[in-house]
Structures are given as structure tokens and as C-alpha cells.
Amino acid sequence: MGNHGSNLDDILAEDMHHWYNKFMKESPSGLITLFELKAILGLKGMTEDANSYVDQVFFTFDMDGDGYIDFVEYIAAISLMLKGEINQKLKWYFKLFDQDGNGKIDKEELETIFSAIQDITRNRETSPEDIVSLIFERIDVNGEGELTLEEFIEGAKDHEDIMDILRELMDLTPVLVIIVEGRTG
């Protein structure tokens, strides 16, 4: 029965009615606020950076900017992360990383995000500074200290090691398992 090793394709393949029931169970109003998302995921006592990261994830998923994630946005976000084409995922990553919304990502923005991710996941194998240095060394060919969307997408796609780092850091499997199976403990 409860196969905890189920892969993400299996999770997404569950019928839409099942996903809708899970969504409505977590948020009977049909809308998830930022506060509710943090409660669903059991995120308490986070660092300021980790808290900002979760806020940024929420606002990227809140596609219409109304302050709520509705069922359509919820399914679109999950579908993007699980099934999205690489260009779509890289665009989403870029939007998430571009904290000030200026259309470019700099080293400080990336270090803040990667540090926040590590605070949440407790995976600190490589320092955020080392990850960011590698990304900029490989992708920032102009040496400007900033990456545009085009530079980011093309550079990431041209370097499999960068793609591997991004896939590992941005893996939402634990989040989806919590949503599907509920927070335990």
C-alpha cells in the first residue's frame, strides 16, 4: 500500500478529482493564502531568508497577483514543476531568483535564495557562495555580475552540471509528498 517511493509522475497522474479534494481539504475556501501555505508545509521558525524564499515561491505561483493561490494556479504550478519543458522551468526559476523584479539576477539574489533553500531542506553539502560562483563562472560570459533571462536559460542549458545543480536545489518532491500524504510527525 502506501508506497512512499512513488515518483512524481505517479503523483501528478492521480485524477483531477483527487487533487481537487486534497486542495479543498487543505483550503475549504478554495483559495490558499501565504500563511496557509506555510502552515500546510509545516514551515515555522524559519530564518528571514528562508521566509523570504517561501514568500517568493508563493508570489510566483500566484499568477494573477491577487494574494491567493486558487486551484488552477495550484495545478499549473505542480504541473510546471513536474512536467514542464526545460525552458518553462528555467523561466520560472529565473522569476523566482529575480527578487527585485528588475529582469536580471545577481550573485546576491542567488546566494540569498540558495541559502534560504538550504535552511529549509537542511542540505548544506555545498555553500551557496560556491554554487553561485560556479553558475556565474560558467554562465556570465560578459562578466557583468548579472544574468538576463536569455543568458540564464541558454547558459544553464549549455552546462549540464548547472542544470543538475538547479534540478537538485529546486526539487519540490518533499513539498509534494507533504501535500499528497499530509504532514506527519
Side-chain angles (χ1 to χ4, degrees):
M1 291 266 186
N3 178 8
H4 295 290
S6 63
N7 78 26
L8 296 178
D9 288 339
D10 294 339
I11 290 172
L12 191 62
E14 293 187 50
D15 68 64
M16 204 55 67
H17 182 71
H18 186 71
W19 275 105
Y20 183 75
N21 287 339
K22 286 183 182 301
F23 181 83
M24 293 307 289
K25 180 181 175 200
E26 294 293 347
S27 184
S29 70
L31 300 170
I32 296 176
T33 64
L34 177 58
F35 178 80
E36 289 169 328
L37 178 67
K38 289 178 182 178
I40 290 167
L41 299 177
L43 302 175
K44 296 180 182 99
M46 295 185 297
T47 65
E48 188 176 326
D49 284 347
N51 206 36
S52 294
Y53 168 70
V54 173
D55 294 355
Q56 188 79 2
V57 169
F58 178 86
F59 293 122
T60 353
F61 285 162
D62 176 18
M63 296 169 203
D64 61 7
D66 66 356
Y68 300 96
I69 296 175
D70 62 28
F71 182 68
V72 171
E73 291 167 329
Y74 171 81
I75 288 298
I78 290 171
S79 182
L80 168 67
M81 297 316 300
L82 299 181
K83 299 265 191 193
E85 295 293 321
I86 193 63
N87 278 4
Q88 293 172 311
K89 287 183 181 182
L90 289 171
K91 281 180 188 173
W92 185 80
Y93 295 164
F94 186 89
K95 185 177 176 185
L96 182 64
F97 298 157
D98 182 16
Q99 293 179 299
D100 61 11
N102 70 351
K104 297 177 181 179
I105 49 179
D106 60 36
K107 290 180 180 183
E108 186 178 324
E109 286 173 315
L110 277 184
E111 284 177 13
T112 300
I113 290 288
F114 292 155
S115 176
I117 291 169
Q118 288 181 342
D119 285 344
I120 293 168
T121 63
R122 308 284 186 243
N123 176 359
R124 294 183 173 86
E125 288 178 28
T126 309
S127 76
E129 294 80 11
D130 290 344
I131 296 167
V132 171
S133 291
L134 178 66
I135 289 172
F136 272 82
E137 178 184 305
R138 300 278 172 85
I139 297 179
D140 186 19
V141 290
N142 302 341
E144 300 166 329
E146 296 180 319
L147 301 173
T148 64
L149 175 63
E150 295 75 25
E151 285 176 310
F152 178 73
I153 289 175
E154 292 309 313
K157 285 172 34 178
D158 287 347
H159 298 282
E160 192 58 36
D161 56 340
I162 301 295
M163 288 302 302
D164 289 343
I165 290 169
L166 291 172
R167 276 189 207 100
E168 182 181 335
L169 279 170
M170 304 306 292
D171 180 12
L172 292 183
T173 305
V175 171
L176 293 174
V177 168
I178 290 168
I179 291 169
V180 170
E181 298 176 1
R183 170 69 72 177
T184 56

